């Protein structure tokens, strides 16, 4: 049975990711740790546009998607992470993965999208 869980994270961080190869490996490890299967990606690109400088990485997983966006021009850095799955999600594993970026503050919403948008 499909679960439709959606974790949205906003984190102020001291060490935002900047390297495309490193964030691809980070995403692969996270996906493996949360027990998901990659269908396409991860794909990462660094944006050099002033005022929007940072890194984006997206992955299509068997049960939906994972996307991370990180801005390193601001201080502290900003990480926005979106994990949507039709399976079970152990959100603590996601928070553990974010520790690599030395978070100062983490805000999140955890939604059950099965029938509506219920905050968990």
């Amino acid at each position: 049975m499909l679960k439709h869980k959606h974790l949205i994270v906003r984190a102020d961080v001291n060490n935002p990711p900047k390297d495309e190869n490193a964030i691809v490996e980070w995403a692969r490890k996270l996906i493996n740790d949360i027990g998901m299967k990659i269908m396409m990606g991860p794909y990462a690109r660094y944006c050099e546009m002033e005022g929007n400088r940072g890194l984006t990485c997206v992955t299509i997983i068997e049960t939906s998607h994972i996307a991370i966006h990180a801005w390193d021009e601001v201080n502290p850095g900003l990480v926005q992470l979106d994990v949507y799955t039709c399976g079970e999600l152990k959100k603590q594993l996601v928070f553990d993965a974010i520790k690599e970026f030395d978070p100062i503050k983490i805000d999140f919403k955890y939604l059950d999208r099965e029938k509506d948008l219920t905050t968990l």
Side-chain angles (χ1 to χ4, degrees), residues 49-95:
M49 185 177 81
E50 189 173 333
N52 195 34
R53 199 167 284 129
L55 188 62
T56 294
C57 180
V58 296
T59 309
I60 298 170
I61 58 176
E62 188 173 61
T63 55
S64 196
H65 72 272
I66 294 177
I68 183 170
H69 309 281
W71 291 266
D72 56 38
E73 277 183 303
V74 293
N75 188 10
L78 174 62
V79 168
Q80 301 269 14
L81 176 64
D82 189 51
V83 179
Y84 179 38
T85 177
C86 296
E88 290 295 330
L89 179 60
K90 294 178 182 166
K91 66 181 185 298
Q92 186 57 50
L93 295 173
V94 177
F95 297 135

Side-chain angles (χ1 to χ4, degrees), residues 14-15 18 26 44 49 67-68 70-71 92 100 102 104 111 113 119:
N14 285 319
N15 185 30
K18 299 177 183 177
W26 180 89
M49 185 177 81
I68 183 170
W71 291 266
Q92 186 57 50
E100 182 172 326
D102 191 14
I104 300 165
L111 304 171
R113 295 174 53 168
T119 302

Side-chain angles (χ1 to χ4, degrees), residues 5-17:
K5 302 297 186 229
H6 194 167
L7 180 63
I8 302 165
V9 179
R10 182 196 188 284
D12 293 328
V13 300
N14 285 319
N15 185 30

Side-chain angles (χ1 to χ4, degrees), residues 97-115:
I98 293 171
K99 288 179 184 176
E100 182 172 326
F101 309 129
D102 191 14
I104 300 165
K105 178 183 177 188
I106 296 176
D107 294 311
F108 71 95
K109 295 282 184 187
Y110 187 39
L111 304 171
D112 183 346
R113 295 174 53 168
E114 191 168 339
K115 294 184 175 54

